[in-house]
Amino acid sequence: MASLLRARNASRGSMASLLRCFSNVPENTVYSGPTAQNPNKRVTLRHLSEKHRSSQPITMVTAYDYPAAVHLDTAAVDICLVGDSAAMVVHGHDTTLPITLDEMLVHCRAVARGAKTPLLVGDLPFGTYESNPNQAVDTAVRILKEGGMDAIKLEGGSPSRIVAAKAIVEAGIAVMGHVGLTPQAISVLGGFRPQGRNVASAVKVVETALALQEAGCFSVVLECVPPPVAAAATAALQIPTIGIGAGPFCSGQVLVYHDLLGMLQHPHHAKVTPKFCKQYARVGDVINKALLEYKEDVTNGSFPDARHSPYKISKTDADVFSNELQRLGLEKAASAAFEAVQKMDTA
């Protein structure tokens, strides 16, 4: 009996280790009853709703890997978006279109390992949800099951996208919408062009956002639209809006990790850093300076020095080692080892 109980407990433990603490899992279960919210727990949709109701701005950052996710976690950012913009920022493409679902899943998993507190949202990449609602649901399921995300984001507000969003929500997956400039529609838009700059386009932004809300989205990203249009959409909606290049009247803001840190300072990348982005640092300059200093130190022989060569061999073992090399007929190697000992002792 005892062995059976041990096996059962071990099984439960292994199952618990497989189940990540997804933020869309209800906090108050039917068994435990209401419990106080621990501030160290993951951000949930309920948290976002509470912030929205109390007019507290929501923070979101787009990141693509484990180190960035750890930084977002430390800064207590509300939402981490694993964006398909990784195609441009990380993989060097000119658009977001080339990135595949498998590539997105690699980024999602890396971020999920580093960000323990933010709500995690994964982009559905181009070509993985447009065909029909079943395809959209299948892709969204993979983003959660294989990528470790809490929710997904999809672009656009065409009837087929609204149907896809509704189907994903009905499958039990939280959905963030995205209107205005939708980079996946670059072929139709004719480039990365702002939206909502005339009456018809502005009305379409608001109507599309409302349609996504009706489909069950918990939030909508407004990208590259004039501030009055973003303000109108935010006022019309009962769910939070997250602005990027959309002015100060949204419920929250999002920027790309690399952009806000000023990591892409090389002239080749200047064209992909949007003009609406505020650079809070020039990390790229620091990186370039450090790499040049490293190259110089290696070239002139000052790195590694004794302080950065921490692993030692005793004098006795070094002598035996040299003798063994000589016995093997490796006179040059024995001489090199002897000289290295002398130099390190001097240093």
Side-chain angles (χ1 to χ4, degrees), residues 54 100 117 203 218 254 295 308 335:
S54 59
T100 66
T117 304
V203 170
F218 71 89
V254 58
K295 177 185 175 184
H308 296 101
S335 177

Side-chain angles (χ1 to χ4, degrees), residues 206-257:
V206 176
E207 289 180 338
T208 302
L210 285 167
L212 287 166
Q213 176 181 262
E214 181 66 23
C217 291
F218 71 89
S219 178
V220 175
V221 171
L222 303 176
E223 181 169 358
C224 293
V225 300
V229 178
T234 301
L237 294 172
Q238 295 179 330
I239 58 176
T241 58
I242 307 295
I244 178 166
F249 306 113
C250 296
S251 311
Q253 299 291 329
V254 58
L255 286 175
V256 172
Y257 179 84

Side-chain angles (χ1 to χ4, degrees), residues 174-338:
V175 177
M176 175 180 282
H178 184 156
V179 300
L181 169 58
T182 48
Q184 291 181 8
I186 185 174
S187 177
V188 175
L189 298 177
F192 296 110
R193 300 181 181 278
Q195 302 298 300
R197 300 179 72 181
N198 58 54
V199 174
S201 180
V203 170
K204 182 179 179 182
V205 168
V206 176
E207 289 180 338
T208 302
L210 285 167
L212 287 166
Q213 176 181 262
E214 181 66 23
C217 291
F218 71 89
S219 178
V220 175
V221 171
L222 303 176
E223 181 169 358
C224 293
V225 300
V229 178
T234 301
L237 294 172
Q238 295 179 330
I239 58 176
T241 58
I242 307 295
I244 178 166
F249 306 113
C250 296
S251 311
Q253 299 291 329
V254 58
L255 286 175
V256 172
Y257 179 84
H258 295 65
D259 292 344
L260 73 88
L261 292 179
M263 292 185 71
L264 303 179
Q265 295 297 334
H266 191 281
H268 172 70
H269 296 291
K271 64 180 181 179
V272 301
T273 301
K275 56 186 177 183
F276 58 73
C277 179
K278 178 178 179 180
Q279 291 190 348
Y280 289 83
R282 291 181 64 88
V283 174
D285 287 343
V286 176
I287 292 173
N288 290 338
K289 181 175 181 293
L291 289 172
L292 289 172
E293 290 179 1
Y294 163 72
K295 177 185 175 184
E296 177 63 22
D297 282 358
V298 172
T299 302
N300 63 31
S302 62
F303 177 82
D305 55 15
R307 186 161 61 95
H308 296 101
S309 304
Y311 310 111
K312 310 299 182 185
I313 184 171
S314 69
K315 181 68 166 57
T316 301
D317 283 344
D319 290 341
V320 174
F321 178 49
S322 294
N323 292 336
E324 184 66 17
L325 290 173
Q326 289 177 340
R327 187 185 68 79
L328 295 172
L330 301 173
E331 297 291 340
K332 188 174 180 181
S335 177
F338 176 79

